Amino acid sequence: MVTTAPAVNTPVQQIVLDHVSWKTYESLLADYVDRSVPHFTYDRGKLEIVSPSIPHETDNQTLGLLIELVAAEWETNTRNVGSATFRRKDLQRGFEADMTFYIQHEGQVRDKQRIDLSVDPPPDLLIEIEVTNPAIAKLPIYAEIGVPEVWRIDGDRVMVLALDAGEYRESAQSVSLAPLDGDVLTRFLAESRTMPRTGWIRAVRAWALGQAAARDSTR
């Protein structure tokens, strides 16, 4: 069965397929291996195909840039692998998040062109833009694969979710980039929608430098 989400008031184009084999899923991934869209999510026979909208991608790229800027000011190495595919055949699950980062485990995957979850660690941080009426719940997939942190944008709010005993719970601050928290991320996201980009970048860097200075002063 194929279902298509209605276009009205829906920020993305979305197609859902049922009774899809793992072999078919992998064939589709191979066909789109060099393309950043659409995004595929597979959950035990159900396949969701999503093509993000411009506002969706703008917010996604904004938070990705924020991570890069803050990490650079804090001299924290990161590897941004974008919307790369992560899958586990044994779990019959796979996903392509909006943006994916290695931070704590960056050194383990720094020079790898292919990441194999049977031997490599899962990503440290995912960005997910909430989709209206998602066909597949993404958080249980991320949790089973062992992703420790998800930043979820729900409308105008950014929530920091941390994996705890197999479930995601809202966290007071980022696991990977403390003391970043949901309030700071929400503020910077809102400002990015109205400020000139260069001014916004300077504001993010200034905040990050201020946090680094405050941290150094307490040592």
Side-chain angles (χ1 to χ4, degrees):
M1 182 179 71
V2 180
T3 57
T4 304
V8 178
N9 295 326
T10 302
V12 297
Q13 295 179 344
Q14 179 186 29
I15 296 173
V16 182
L17 304 173
D18 291 316
H19 310 298
V20 176
S21 69
W22 184 263
K23 182 178 179 180
T24 298
Y25 168 56
E26 291 202 316
S27 295
L28 283 168
L29 293 178
D31 288 341
Y32 286 86
V33 66
D34 293 323
R35 302 183 187 181
S36 59
V37 293
H39 297 172
F40 297 93
T41 301
Y42 184 85
D43 187 8
R44 297 164 296 185
K46 177 172 282 190
L47 179 67
E48 181 185 69
I49 306 171
V50 171
S51 294
S53 66
I54 289 176
H56 180 117
E57 280 299 275
T58 299
D59 285 349
N60 181 38
Q61 294 297 326
T62 292
L63 283 186
L65 177 58
L66 184 147
I67 289 171
E68 300 274 13
L69 292 170
V70 169
E73 297 297 347
W74 293 351
E75 298 185 354
T76 299
N77 291 317
T78 66
R79 184 177 181 191
N80 180 353
V81 294
S83 57
T85 303
F86 291 87
R87 60 191 185 272
R88 287 267 304 269
K89 184 177 181 180
D90 58 323
L91 301 177
Q92 291 286 294
R93 285 177 153 177
F95 67 85
E96 296 169 359
D98 289 302
M99 195 164 290
T100 312
F101 281 86
Y102 280 91
I103 302 175
Q104 289 95 328
H105 295 96
E106 179 272 340
Q108 293 175 244
V109 299
R110 182 178 301 163
D111 60 350
K112 293 201 171 187
Q113 299 305 305
R114 181 175 180 274
I115 296 174
D116 180 355
L117 290 180
S118 66
V119 294
D120 296 316
D124 296 304
L125 172 61
L126 302 182
I127 295 173
E128 181 187 78
I129 315 293
E130 179 68 4
V131 175
T132 303
N133 300 320
I136 296 176
K138 308 298 192 304
L139 292 181
I141 300 176
Y142 303 155
E144 189 166 22
I145 287 177
V147 177
E149 181 174 4
V150 176
W151 291 1
R152 193 175 217 182
I153 306 174
D154 183 3
D156 295 327
R157 182 175 178 233
V158 183
M159 292 182 289
V160 174
L161 305 176
L163 189 61
D164 178 19
E167 295 184 358
Y168 287 100
R169 308 182 195 281
E170 191 162 2
S171 176
Q173 61 183 11
S174 171
V175 176
S176 302
L177 292 170
L180 267 175
D181 60 28
D183 290 340
V184 172
L185 292 170
T186 297
R187 174 169 62 85
F188 276 130
L189 181 63
E191 290 175 351
S192 75
R193 295 170 177 170
T194 57
M195 290 178 66
R197 199 63 160 182
T198 53
W200 181 84
I201 289 171
R202 286 196 297 269
V204 172
R205 284 177 169 165
W207 179 88
L209 282 170
Q211 293 298 317
R215 181 176 55 195
D216 291 343
S217 68
T218 62
R219 290 177 177 174

